[in-house]
Amino acid sequence: MGNFKFGVSLRGIGGRDAWIAKCRRAEELGYDVITIPDHLGTGSPAPFPALAMAAAVTERPRLGTLVSNVPFYNLALFAREASSTAALLDGRLDLGLGSGHMKSEFDAAGLPWQNAAGRIGYLEESLGYLRKHFDDEGLAMPRLLIAGNSDGVLGLAAEHADVVGFAGLRQAPGKPPGTFMLDNAEAMDDRVAYFRNRAGERDVEYNMLVQRVVVTDDRRGAASAWHDETEHRAARSVDELLDAPQLLLGTVEEIAGQLETRRERYGFSYITVFEPMLETFAPVLKELQ
């Protein structure tokens, strides 16, 4: 099934020197992709200038957004940012797109919040807009990652994306917008099956955004601790958490085995971890590279 690819989502700049050090450390540890999320609020960096700096101080990793929240933006301004960054990155940009899901960020910024259908429609509109803009600028479209959990976003990914991104989170029923619950393994089966059916014979790479990595001799203890810390998000039994593809719990060898098993089951060959797991996950990365 080919080799694994590993990425890290770096969530804050921390100043020029700190950002350079983090990017170089990710490259030194062997990560293949450095990504930046797109959130609003204190401490949340603008992704594109951070990516341009990352490109200037590294040589090997690809660089991307995971993901740009397209409904934040006027499409003309977003296309200009994306194409300028693509030109500076000289073929290393992975442009990740999503429909947005944190209503509180829109509200705090005074941005209009549409229902899911409206946001997904805007994401779809952006795809055509971006392709025309890149063509007008004489630039090749970057590799396109589209991430989400809904039928609508996965349908767009099936038609347009080079990489489909899964995080296995969904809005918790009856809870305020932005309150998420973790899909269990069977729910992930359903989402992947839906995507595969829509994508048909298209060759698409599968990304999993891992929520937690704990290297431990006590998998069940780690799952229990995560469950107790995040009861509103988990809404799952400890046994379900042990089987959830969004969590990597166990020894280095056990985690490597989990990734191989889940690649076989779901197709996840591109694995992204969050910045706090940069060092924790590195031995697993070495085990599988």
Side-chain angles (χ1 to χ4, degrees):
M1 296 182 67
N3 296 326
F4 281 102
K5 185 167 79 178
F6 297 107
V8 59
S9 174
L10 299 180
R11 311 196 79 170
I13 294 174
R16 182 181 187 276
D17 290 346
W19 179 242
I20 290 171
K22 280 196 286 192
C23 292
R24 288 178 171 165
R25 181 58 176 162
E27 180 173 37
E28 179 185 13
L29 289 171
Y31 286 90
D32 303 294
V33 190
I34 296 170
T35 59
I36 304 177
D38 187 11
H39 292 293
L40 299 176
T42 304
S44 298
F48 289 123
L51 291 174
M53 173 65 85
V57 300
T58 63
E59 296 181 0
R60 184 183 53 80
R62 298 190 62 80
L63 304 150
T65 53
L66 192 64
V67 290
S68 295
N69 284 297
V70 176
F72 283 164
Y73 300 96
N74 170 283
L75 291 184
L77 299 181
F78 180 70
R80 182 184 67 172
E81 295 291 317
S83 63
S84 296
T85 305
L88 291 172
L89 268 57
D90 194 24
R92 292 169 67 189
L93 177 64
D94 289 344
L95 184 59
L97 305 177
S99 62
H101 60 274
M102 294 293 288
K103 182 177 184 297
S104 59
E105 294 183 1
F106 286 78
D107 292 345
L111 294 169
W113 172 257
Q114 295 181 288
N115 62 20
R119 300 194 314 277
I120 293 168
Y122 194 69
L123 175 60
E124 182 173 19
E125 180 185 352
S126 77
L127 297 172
Y129 194 101
L130 285 165
R131 291 190 188 282
K132 183 178 186 306
H133 177 82
F134 272 80
D135 187 59
D136 290 345
E137 293 290 328
L139 295 168
M141 269 293 288
R143 280 174 56 82
L144 195 63
L145 181 152
I146 298 177
N149 203 49
S150 67
D151 287 359
V153 174
L154 291 177
L156 290 178
E159 185 176 352
H160 298 282
D162 302 292
V163 185
V164 58
F166 294 88
L169 299 175
R170 67 179 67 217
Q171 172 66 36
K175 300 291 186 180
T179 306
F180 301 109
M181 62 182 293
L182 194 76
D183 274 350
N184 63 14
E186 289 71 29
M188 187 64 74
D189 283 328
D190 172 79
R191 295 292 75 202
V192 170
Y194 178 86
F195 175 81
R196 284 177 174 156
N197 183 60
R198 291 292 300 270
E201 297 301 314
R202 290 191 69 236
D203 183 17
V204 184
E205 188 174 31
Y206 289 57
N207 172 257
M208 165 52 64
L209 179 59
V210 172
Q211 299 298 309
R212 175 70 67 93
V213 180
V214 181
V215 176
T216 175
D217 292 329
D218 181 9
R219 294 189 69 234
R220 179 165 292 275
S224 297
W226 197 86
H227 183 273
D228 293 343
E229 291 169 17
T230 58
E231 185 176 354
H232 70 285
R233 270 183 86 187
R236 300 294 178 190
S237 70
V238 171
D239 284 333
E240 284 181 304
L241 294 181
L242 287 169
D243 199 31
Q246 309 92 321
L247 305 178
L248 297 173
L249 314 172
T251 65
V252 168
E253 293 75 16
E254 285 174 333
I255 292 173
Q258 290 163 35
L259 288 172
E260 290 173 333
T261 298
R262 293 165 185 176
R263 179 176 61 180
E264 184 69 28
R265 178 170 178 172
Y266 303 108
F268 299 143
S269 61
Y270 171 17
I271 307 299
T272 301
V273 300
F274 289 118
E275 180 177 338
M277 309 166 206
L278 175 74
E279 301 285 346
T280 303
F281 185 71
V284 181
L285 183 156
K286 292 297 184 187
E287 180 81 9
L288 288 169
Q289 277 186 331

